[in-house]
Amino acid sequence: GKPSKILTLLLIHQNNQILLAMKKRGFGMGKYNGFGGKVEKNGESIYQAAIRETQEEGCITPTDAQFIGYIKMDYDCEKETLKVHIFKATHFDGQVKETEEMKPQWFDVAKIPYNQMWIDDQYWIPYLLENKCFSGYLQFEGHDKLIQADIKEVTNQ
Ligand code: 6U4
Ligand code: NA
Ligand code: NA
């Protein structure tokens, strides 16, 4: 199979709102998403990368981040499979600011702009909002067409 790379994605869900950010450059440009990126190869943990990327992209430091989901993403047009580790936080230090990479914006959870987001987000954000852990696999044709989507709640028994 293809080589893979480990990525993080962190969403802030506070009261009845979710913080998303319009990505201004690079992978996913023009889409609203959480904060995230690649884990550094210097011994950084996935959790540390999730916090660092949120600091770099949103200028805030999540204070109660928890791992909530894992999705393996296969893009036919990308050299590497993405292993995306998703975190949720409800509190943070600092003030949300626009950066060179991201333009953040709060949305009511009833008005999440799914039509301006990655096509898979509508499948797993509902789990995140309900604090349910989830895991799954996505296979893309290009960046906007899903040819396989298998995301399920993960329960500990
Ligand atoms: P650099 O090299 O710093 O610009 P970096 O910020 O490290 O890159 P980047 O921006 O490539 O990493 O990370 C991609 C981000 O997009 C990660 O947070 C994962 C996220 N992502 C990729 N595919 C996604 C998808 N289908 N649905 C989704 N997020 C996705 O919700
Ligand atoms: Na990033
Ligand atoms: Na990065």
Side-chain angles (χ1 to χ4, degrees), residues 36-37 53 57 101:
E53 288 281 348
E57 296 181 349
E101 194 166 348

Side-chain angles (χ1 to χ4, degrees), residues 75-130:
Y75 292 91
D76 57 354
C77 52
E78 299 290 331
K79 295 190 301 288
E80 296 166 299
T81 297
L82 309 186
K83 295 182 169 173
V84 183
H85 295 253
I86 303 171
F87 294 80
K88 171 177 176 171
T90 65
H91 288 82
F92 56 86
D93 288 335
Q95 277 185 357
V96 178
K97 267 206 293 265
E98 183 170 348
T99 62
E100 273 180 38
E101 194 166 348
M102 295 286 226
K103 186 179 169 65
Q105 194 178 324
W106 289 99
F107 292 91
D108 288 348
V109 295
K111 293 179 185 169
I112 294 176
Y114 286 119
N115 60 351
Q116 297 174 75
M117 296 169 71
W118 284 99
I119 194 164
D120 50 288
D121 292 7
Q122 58 196 294
Y123 298 118
W124 56 265
I125 286 188
Y127 291 128
L128 179 139
L129 296 174
E130 293 180 19

Side-chain angles (χ1 to χ4, degrees), residues 33-59:
N33 206 350
F35 303 111
K38 298 173 201 67
V39 176
E40 285 178 354
K41 286 175 184 145
N42 58 3
E44 181 180 53
S45 71
I46 297 172
Y47 175 83
Q48 285 167 340
I51 303 297
R52 176 186 49 74
E53 288 281 348
T54 304
Q55 292 170 329
E56 291 175 1
E57 296 181 349
C59 299

